[in-house]
Amino acid sequence: MPPTVQGKVGNLPLELTSFVGRRHEVTEARRLLSESRLVTLTGIGGVGKTRLALRVAEDSRRAFDDGVWLVELGEVYDPTLVPATVAAALGLRDQLAHLPEEVLADHLATRRLLLVLDNCEHLVEAVAGLAESLLTACPEMRILAASREALGISGEAVLRVPPLTAPSSDEAPSLQGLPRYDAVALFTERAAAAVPEFTLTEDNRRAVAGICHRLDGLPLPIELAAVRLRAMTAEQVLQRLTDRFRLLTLGSRGAPTRQQTLWSSIEWSHELCSVREQELWARLSVFSGGFEFDAAEGICAGELSSDDLRAVLASLVDKSILIREEQGPAVRYRLLETLRAYGNEKLRESGDRDGLHRGHRDWYARLAHTAETEWIGPNQVSWIGRLERETSNLREALHFSLTAPGDAEADACLRMVNSLYLYWICRGLISEGRRWLDRALARSGDRRTADRVLALFGASVMTGMQQEFATATALVEECGALAEELGDPMLRAAAGYATGFRSLFSGQLKGARSSFEDALQTSRPTGELQRAIGCLLGLAVASGLLGDEDRSVACYEQVFAITASRGESYYRAYALWGLGLATLHKGDVTRASAQLAQALRLIRRVNDPIIATWCLETMGWIAAVEDAPDRAAVLLGAANALAKAEGGITVTLPNLLSHHAECKQRARAALGDRAFEEARRRGRGMDFREAIGYALGERRPAGPPAVEEAVSLTRREMQVAELVAQGLTNRAIAEKLVISPRTAQGHVERVLAKLAFTSRTQIAAWYLERTREQEPDAQRGA
């Protein structure tokens, strides 16, 4: 599990605003947490359960050697995704078909940590079941939950979170006495943040006390009210609150008082917005987990121009309706969940909700399709990051397609899961991908379409990766039969591809090679690059494991020829791992190490856990051959930890298991049992970037990844690399540099050796990518 800033273990966010009051609640929660392994903070929406939980968790860090981990459940609506969401927050990805609860229990069995589960109320049964299971299996872990209702399981300690202390209706507190009320202290701090010159005075003290009383000490509406001081006085704020509360109380006497108060404060904030702001607020509630500007423009803009939309978004940020966040290269916006729920109700009243949700689904389906079509290109890493940021919206769009009636929705769902197949594979999200594919296939029934063939193909590959061969075989057979029925060469190629990987994962190498050969011959006339690359990689692996290293290398070189000039990273990393394995089998340990290192540098860009595990494992084998048993044991441990974090195993191809066993035996024999286990334990303690940094010989985990590490080519060798990238032959290079062809050949060979390459195509790809990374942003059109 990865450390966060300043060496702290966990993922608690930094506090962006001060924490006000709650001394009694913090003390009581910490006391309960020391006595009970499950503490649940309960209370109404907007009362401050999340902030209290985060403060208690931060104050309790020292008691938990393995960290404090926040799991945000507010954007999760499918109860079956609760275990996967917890795993993701812990830095674990689900890859194999094990139950996520089992993966979590295995990982947490001996760890001393605190799990903070936030916004549990809409998933209370699923959260309760998982909490009970984990607490039973993991004696050193504790859970702090925030929910509108208790989980209701044995051993749970419940702490009700009250509103902040506020003046009563008949009080006329003195100016000196007001700050002792936490609600007043919160209002004052937030008001000063909104209007720096604001202070409590004799003139405004009664209005401030009235505001905090009218809002019943609830932090959320108090913060919303404080922001209003940008546009009005405290007395005007109080008057507007008084009017709105009276109207709401008369309209709904049966509602609990504090629910009336919270809803009134939001209603009041809504009425202070312009008509355009109100309409956009409602429309933006269609998003789950936030959004970026292009999504808002494509789904919610309506008649607003681009400039007008930016202005309204900025205004909503200023009014604390929207939160603006910078996530890496992107600016994202999000509604607090309470405000989103309010906006969604307004959208329902407008009659536009179904249409907006369909537009949301269509937009994200196009986003996924565009990412798929541009996958083999220079924007691949950017697309991977974008899809990761949009996880909640993609899930929302898929859920809509699965639940909306009509054959058109079923077809749309199939198209969308097919577009997301490569992303799920690349990010190691095999089980989640399978769940969506299985549900989409079930939703489509017996429809005989090309999209169904491709979904069957994707489901069969993922199932084979998880070693469920009976299920994979049934999917492959249905895929092949439907492809033949439809008679499309591209679909036949997909079916052959599926057959090849099913055979490869089950160890049937000759059958795999034959299937890939047939599929490749069928793919080439269609010009379908992704399928052709997949066939080439599968054929390369099968050929290499059958001892035909020359053919294996030739297939990998073809992959380079397809991807090099396009700036692609994922498939090239895969091919470099395969080349490293083939080179190792030929006995060239030095070049194999360099090829695997190059693969890891690319993998650090795309953050793919599966290929990273393969590379670490193979580098461990090399370390054992080079008589470096400690390094071998550490690498085996790191590979094992990463594979477990992904829910899988380190060696997915059964034909390679003997290498693993031999490496383990050599290292153990050289070190002895105790030292071997200690070295392997050090490896298991590494996260993704630490493990890659160790394998590459870096002293500490790397920062933002570069495309490649600097390579010590001379000035002349760099000139030669540039000319190779331009497609010049040795003779043409000699003429260009006024040297002999023999000298030119020597320079090319030295470049190949220094870069650990086997072909001129690899030199060209390396040089082009190096040049692209060094270009100023303006030249790249950024």
Side-chain angles (χ1 to χ4, degrees):
M1 296 185 292
T4 57
V5 294
Q6 300 177 343
K8 296 178 181 178
V9 180
N11 67 342
L12 291 186
L14 295 174
E15 291 185 333
L16 301 180
T17 56
S18 58
F19 184 82
V20 177
R22 301 289 195 197
R23 291 183 181 178
H24 170 74
E25 288 82 9
V26 170
T27 300
E28 182 63 8
R30 293 192 67 185
R31 183 188 68 78
L32 291 174
L33 200 56
S34 70
E35 299 174 353
S36 175
R37 295 179 57 220
L38 170 62
V39 175
T40 302
L41 307 179
T42 64
I44 63 172
V47 79
K49 299 183 293 297
T50 298
R51 283 300 300 269
L52 176 60
L54 292 176
R55 172 47 62 101
V56 171
E58 179 64 40
D59 289 351
S60 305
R61 268 189 191 278
R62 292 184 180 180
F64 299 96
D65 296 339
D66 294 304
V68 180
W69 300 87
L70 172 65
V71 183
E72 296 176 326
L73 297 170
E75 301 296 341
V76 179
Y77 299 101
D78 186 344
T80 66
L81 291 175
V82 169
T85 303
V86 175
L90 288 169
L92 311 176
R93 300 181 188 280
D94 79 88
Q95 179 180 328
L96 285 188
H98 305 303
L99 290 173
E101 293 94 330
E102 294 178 355
V103 175
L104 285 167
D106 179 64
H107 183 76
L108 299 174
T110 60
R111 296 182 188 268
R112 184 175 180 80
L113 59 73
L114 175 65
L115 207 58
V116 183
L117 305 178
D118 191 29
N119 290 312
C120 304
E121 53 272 359
H122 59 301
L123 300 163
V124 66
E125 291 185 7
V127 174
L130 179 63
E132 191 166 33
S133 173
L134 291 180
L135 290 170
T136 301
C138 311
E140 294 298 314
M141 72 167 292
R142 294 183 182 235
I143 295 176
L144 178 62
S147 176
R148 295 187 186 185
E149 66 176 291
L151 301 187
I153 61 177
S154 176
E156 179 185 29
V158 178
L159 176 63
R160 186 184 68 83
V161 181
L164 298 173
T165 56
S168 64
S169 59
D170 56 354
E171 273 187 309
S174 66
L175 182 62
Q176 293 73 25
L178 265 182
R180 69 185 176 89
Y181 295 102
D182 288 342
V184 173
L186 177 64
F187 181 90
T188 304
E189 285 203 17
R190 300 301 187 260
V195 182
E197 61 269 26
F198 177 84
T199 57
L200 275 176
T201 67
E202 282 293 339
D203 291 334
N204 65 25
R205 67 179 178 88
R206 291 184 180 275
V208 171
I211 290 168
C212 293
H213 166 70
R214 291 288 183 182
L215 294 177
D216 279 348
L218 292 172
L220 173 59
I222 285 172
E223 294 192 355
L224 290 171
V227 173
R228 298 280 74 78
L229 294 185
R230 292 173 178 168
M232 57 184 71
T233 65
E235 289 76 14
Q236 289 172 323
V237 170
L238 177 61
Q239 184 59 41
R240 295 295 294 271
L241 282 175
T242 302
D243 292 342
R244 294 307 175 271
F245 285 6
R246 184 180 300 116
L247 287 172
L248 184 62
T249 301
L250 291 173
S252 179
R253 295 185 181 275
T257 301
R258 289 192 178 94
Q259 287 183 11
Q260 295 174 9
T261 301
L262 177 60
W263 193 261
S264 291
S265 67
I266 300 173
E267 180 81 33
W268 160 76
S269 294
H270 182 262
E271 292 187 10
L272 288 177
C273 293
S274 68
V275 173
R276 292 201 307 183
E277 290 166 352
Q278 291 175 350
E279 290 175 350
L280 188 60
W281 178 353
R283 286 171 165 263
L284 293 176
S285 69
V286 76
F287 291 107
S288 176
F291 59 91
E292 295 176 22
F293 179 79
D294 58 347
E297 186 174 35
I299 301 168
C300 302
E303 300 300 318
L304 294 175
S305 68
S306 180
D307 288 342
D308 287 343
L309 176 63
R310 289 184 188 278
V312 179
L313 287 173
S315 181
L316 289 173
V317 171
D318 289 341
K319 293 179 178 179
S320 296
I321 304 303
L322 278 179
I323 296 174
R324 181 186 184 277
E325 301 170 318
E326 293 189 14
Q327 296 184 12
V331 172
R332 289 183 68 81
Y333 302 88
R334 66 179 174 90
L335 286 163
L336 291 173
E337 193 55 34
T338 304
L339 302 182
R340 182 187 177 219
Y342 180 88
N344 197 257
E345 177 62 21
K346 291 296 181 182
L347 188 61
R348 184 193 64 78
E349 292 174 2
S350 73
D352 292 338
R353 187 164 64 175
D354 287 348
L356 259 293
H357 276 281
R358 183 167 284 102
H360 174 276
R361 189 278 315 281
D362 291 343
W363 195 90
Y364 279 99
R366 289 192 296 272
L367 182 82
H369 177 69
T370 304
E372 179 191 22
T373 57
E374 295 186 12
W375 189 265
I376 305 175
N379 297 322
Q380 184 185 75
V381 174
S382 297
W383 276 118
I384 291 170
R386 180 64 187 271
L387 293 178
E388 189 162 38
R389 294 193 300 273
E390 300 291 1
T391 295
S392 292
N393 282 308
L394 292 168
R395 288 173 175 169
E396 186 90 4
L398 287 169
H399 179 73
F400 178 85
S401 288
L402 285 169
T403 54
D407 290 342
E409 299 297 342
D411 291 339
C413 190
L414 282 176
R415 287 192 296 273
M416 194 167 178
V417 293
N418 290 336
S419 294
L420 290 169
Y421 164 79
L422 285 171
Y423 168 71
W424 286 325
I425 288 283
C426 176
R427 302 300 286 120
L429 301 171
I430 308 304
S431 287
E432 176 165 357
R434 272 193 68 189
R435 282 195 295 271
W436 289 117
L437 281 161
D438 289 346
R439 292 171 71 181
L441 286 167
R443 172 78 168 83
S444 69
D446 59 355
R447 293 175 63 75
R448 322 299 286 172
T449 65
D451 288 319
R452 182 172 177 83
V453 173
L454 296 178
L456 287 164
F457 147 76
S460 72
V461 174
M462 288 184 169
T463 306
M465 291 179 73
Q466 296 184 325
Q467 300 181 342
E468 292 186 18
F469 300 122
T471 304
T473 297
L475 290 166
V476 167
E477 289 175 351
E478 184 181 352
C479 179
L482 185 52
E484 285 298 323
E485 177 184 325
L486 297 176
D488 187 325
M490 187 271 287
L491 299 180
R492 290 196 186 104
Y497 183 28
T499 303
F501 270 103
R502 186 272 314 272
S503 300
L504 186 64
F505 291 134
S506 61
Q508 302 170 36
L509 297 180
K510 291 183 178 178
R513 180 176 62 184
S514 176
S515 294
F516 285 129
E517 288 172 339
D518 292 344
L520 188 60
Q521 292 304 315
T522 309
S523 295
R524 279 175 170 152
T526 70
E528 217 283 315
L529 282 183
Q530 291 172 2
R531 214 80 61 206
I533 290 173
C535 288
L536 284 168
L537 290 172
L539 184 56
V541 173
S543 298
L545 294 176
L546 285 168
D548 190 351
E549 300 294 351
D550 291 339
R551 187 175 191 190
S552 177
V553 169
C555 289
Y556 288 128
E557 292 292 355
Q558 288 184 63
V559 173
F560 278 111
I562 294 171
T563 60
S565 62
R566 292 176 169 85
E568 192 274 344
S569 299
Y570 170 71
Y571 285 123
R572 282 196 295 147
Y574 192 129
L576 278 165
W577 165 76
L579 274 174
L581 186 62
T583 306
L584 176 61
H585 286 164
K586 287 184 174 182
D588 192 342
V589 174
T590 301
R591 178 164 287 189
S593 295
Q595 289 165 335
L596 291 166
Q598 190 187 359
L600 281 177
R601 293 182 193 111
L602 285 171
I603 282 304
R604 194 156 54 186
R605 296 190 74 209
V606 299
N607 200 26
D608 173 57
I610 299 175
I611 301 176
T613 299
W614 297 349
C615 288
L616 293 172
E617 174 77 17
T618 310
M619 292 180 92
W621 305 345
I622 290 175
V625 170
E626 291 185 319
D627 198 23
D630 187 76
R631 175 175 167 82
V634 171
L635 287 169
L636 289 182
N640 180 257
L642 184 55
K644 278 196 170 183
E646 309 311 319
I649 56 177
T650 55
V651 183
T652 55
L653 300 174
N655 309 80
L656 295 177
L657 288 171
S658 61
H659 295 286
H660 175 84
E662 181 182 352
C663 174
K664 188 175 177 180
Q665 190 277 328
R666 279 194 182 194
R668 188 184 292 277
L671 295 173
D673 288 345
R674 184 172 180 178
F676 173 80
E677 291 300 336
E678 170 60 24
R680 194 160 61 163
R681 185 194 64 78
R682 295 201 311 272
R684 284 174 175 161
M686 296 177 179
D687 64 24
F688 179 87
R689 293 202 174 277
E690 289 172 331
I692 290 179
Y694 176 84
L696 294 175
E698 299 168 351
R699 293 187 177 181
R700 59 182 181 275
V707 176
E708 309 285 355
E709 288 184 348
V711 178
S712 57
L713 297 187
T714 66
R715 182 179 178 184
R716 175 64 84 183
E717 288 165 352
M718 284 299 298
Q719 289 177 321
V720 170
E722 179 181 6
L723 296 174
V724 169
Q726 293 174 9
L728 273 63
T729 64
N730 287 349
R731 182 173 296 278
I733 291 172
E735 293 175 357
K736 187 81 172 177
L737 299 179
V738 195
I739 57 178
S740 70
R742 187 183 184 90
T743 301
Q745 180 180 352
H747 284 313
V748 172
E749 289 176 352
R750 280 190 291 276
V751 171
L752 285 168
K754 284 186 176 183
L755 297 175
F757 290 158
T758 58
S759 73
R760 301 168 76 91
T761 304
Q762 290 172 263
I763 295 177
W766 174 84
Y767 184 83
L768 290 171
E769 190 163 3
R770 181 179 183 276
T771 303
R772 186 163 42 245
E773 287 293 318
Q774 293 177 347
E775 287 177 352
D777 285 346
Q779 288 181 303
R780 293 199 300 262

